C-alpha cells in the first residue's frame, strides 16, 4: 500500500472513530457553532450535538502548535445526516465558530440564505357608506320685508339645501302656473329673493317654494305684504275758493286736488298769524276734496282779515293768500 493510500485510510478510520464516539462526548457552547469535543491528544472535533447520540459536524485534528488548520468545509449545509424528527435546515456549519482558539471558518463556499419576500395582503376597497334618505323638505321662518314703494325682500329657511322660488300677484289666490315669479337655482338653506318693479300702495299675495336635490318639494301657504305709498308728485292745491259774506258771518267754500282737512283763520288785525291771540281758527278734520266752512259771531260793519288752509294725510299743507272782507250793517 502506498503512503498516500495509507494516509487516506487513516483519515477515514479516524473519522469513523469520532462519529462512533459522539454519544460519549461532552460539549461546551462555542459561539454560533454547536460545541467542541475533546477526543484525546491534540485532536478536537467541531460541530453540533443535535440529539442524544447524534453529532453533526465536519471535523479536523487541530495541533495546538498551530501547524495544522481546519480544512474548508464541504459545499453543503449538511455533511452528516440528521436523526428523525430533526429539521436539517436549522443546523448550518458555515458560521464563524467564534471560539477562543482564534481560527475562523472558511466562508468561501457559504452563501447566506435569501430572505423571503413577504406576500402582500390583498387590498380591498372600502364599502361606500350609502347616502341616507333625506327627510321631507320643510319651509320655515317666512318673512316679507318691504323696501320702499316698488321692492320687497322675501326670506325663508329649509331643513335641506334647496333652490328658491317666489310666485306673487295682486289677486288671490295666487296661481303658480300663471303668476309672476322669481327663481334662484342655487341650493341653499337660507333663502332670499328680491321682488322688484312693484306698484306703490299695493297689496301683494305670494307663495314660496323650494326643491332639493332629491326631488323633495316644500311650499308655503299664501301670504301678503303691502308696498309703501308713493310720495305725491303734485303738491296739495286749493282752487275755487269763495267767501259769501253776511252781517254777522261768512261762508267759505273751496276744493283740493286730494283729500284734506278744512281750516280757516281770521282776525281784525293784519297780518293773520296762526297761534296769535288775535287770531281765531275754524276747522273740520274730515279729509275731503270739496270743502265748506261757516264762520259766525262776527261783528257788523267790521273789516276782517282771513286765509283758508288744507292739510292731507301726509301733512302736506296748502293755504290761500290772506284776503279781507267787511260784514254788513
Amino acid at each position: 500500500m502506498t503512503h498516500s493510500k495509507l494516509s487516506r485510510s487513516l483519515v477515514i478510520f479516524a473519522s469513523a472513530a469520532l462519529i462512533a464516539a459522539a454519544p460519549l462526548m461532552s460539549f461546551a457552547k462555542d459561539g454560533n457553532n454547536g460545541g467542541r469535543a475533546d477526543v484525546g491528544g491534540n485532536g478536537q472535533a467541531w460541530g453540533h450535538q443535535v440529539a442524544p447520540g447524534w453529532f453533526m459536524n465536519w471535523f479536523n485534528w487541530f495541533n495546538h502548535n498551530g501547524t495544522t488548520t481546519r480544512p474548508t468545509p464541504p459545499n453543503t449545509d449538511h455533511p452528516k445526516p440528521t436523526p428523525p424528527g430533526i429539521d436539517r435546515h436549522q443546523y448550518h456549519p458555515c458560521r464563524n465558530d467564534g471560539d477562543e482558539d482564534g481560527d475562523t471558518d472558511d466562508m468561501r463556499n457559504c452563501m447566506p440564505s435569501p430572505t423571503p419576500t413577504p406576500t402582500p395582503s390583498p387590498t380591498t376597497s372600502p364599502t361606500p357608506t350609502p347616502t341616507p334618505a333625506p327627510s321631507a323638505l320643510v319651509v320655515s321662518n317666512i318673512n316679507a320685508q318691504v323696501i320702499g314703494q316698488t321692492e320687497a325682500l322675501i326670506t325663508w329657511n329649509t331643513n335641506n339645501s334647496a333652490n328658491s322660488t317666489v310666485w306673487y300677484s295682486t289677486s288671490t289666490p295666487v296661481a303658480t302656473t300663471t303668476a309672476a315669479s322669481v327663481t334662484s337655482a342655487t341650493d341653499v338653506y337660507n333663502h332670499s329673493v328680491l321682488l322688484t318693479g312693484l306698484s306703490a300702495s299695493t297689496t301683494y299675495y305670494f307663495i314660496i317654494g323650494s326643491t332639493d336635490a332629491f326631488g323633495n318639494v316644500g311650499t308655503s301657504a299664501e301670504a301678503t305684504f303691502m308696498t309703501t305709498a308713493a310720495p305725491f308728485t303734485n303738491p296739495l292745491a286749493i282752487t275755487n275758493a269763495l267767501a259769501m259774506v253776511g252781517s254777522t258771518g261768512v261762508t267759505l267754500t273751496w276744493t283740493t286736488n286730494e283729500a284734506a282737512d278744512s281750516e280757516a283763520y281770521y282776525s281784525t288785525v293784519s297780518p293773520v298769524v296762526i297761534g296769535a291771540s288775535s287770531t281765531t281758527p275754524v276747522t273740520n278734520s274730515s279729509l275731503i276734496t270739496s270743502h265748506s266752512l261757516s264762520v259766525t259771531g262776527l261783528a257788523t260793519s267790521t273789516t276782517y282779515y282771513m286765509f283758508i288752509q288744507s292739510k292731507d294725510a301726509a301733512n302736506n299743507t296748502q293755504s290761500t293768500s290772506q284776503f279781507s272782507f267787511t260784514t254788513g250793517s
Side-chain angles (χ1 to χ4, degrees), residues 144-154 168-170 194-206 223-231:
Q145 178 185 355
V146 175
I147 305 173
Q149 294 80 40
T150 61
E151 295 181 345
L153 182 66
I154 313 300
Y168 62 99
S169 174
T170 55
L194 180 64
L195 307 182
T196 60
L198 307 178
S199 299
S201 301
T202 304
T203 298
Y204 284 88
Y205 305 88
F206 69 95
T224 65
F225 64 88
M226 183 175 182
T227 54
T228 303

Side-chain angles (χ1 to χ4, degrees), residues 36-51:
R36 178 182 64 193
D38 291 329
V39 296
N42 292 330
Q44 291 180 333
W46 298 82
H48 301 271
Q49 185 179 17
V50 298

Side-chain angles (χ1 to χ4, degrees), residues 21 54 65 72 78 96 106 120 137 144 146-147 150 215 233 248 275 293 321:
W54 290 80
N65 61 18
T72 300
H78 310 288
N96 191 311
D106 190 338
L137 190 62
V146 175
I147 305 173
T150 61
T233 56
T248 58
L293 283 179
S321 300

Side-chain angles (χ1 to χ4, degrees), residues 11-12 52 54 79 89 100 114 134 153 157-158 168 174 185 193 199 214 222-223 231 241 250 288 309 316 323:
V11 171
I12 294 172
W54 290 80
H89 296 279
E100 70 277 8
L153 182 66
N157 304 121
T158 53
Y168 62 99
V174 177
V193 172
S199 299
F214 300 94
E222 187 175 276
V250 61
I288 54 179
Q309 177 175 285
N316 296 309
F323 60 92

Side-chain angles (χ1 to χ4, degrees), residues 60-123:
N60 66 77
W61 294 103
F62 183 79
N63 190 321
H64 284 295
N65 61 18
T67 59
T68 304
T69 59
R70 182 181 307 178
T72 300
N75 188 15
T76 175
D77 285 355
H78 310 288
K80 297 296 181 182
T82 55
I86 301 300
D87 184 356
R88 291 169 56 89
H89 296 279
Q90 62 183 325
Y91 299 101
H92 197 298
C94 296
R95 299 177 180 171
N96 191 311
D97 62 3
D99 59 32
E100 70 277 8
D101 58 17
D103 67 333
T104 57
D105 293 335
D106 190 338
M107 305 300 287
R108 289 175 299 177
N109 298 318
C110 300
M111 295 296 291
S113 300
T115 302
T117 302
T119 302
S121 302
T123 302

Side-chain angles (χ1 to χ4, degrees), residues 2-13:
T2 65
H3 178 72
S4 60
K5 291 183 178 180
L6 178 58
S7 297
R8 286 197 296 271
S9 298
L10 288 175
V11 171
I12 294 172
F13 174 77

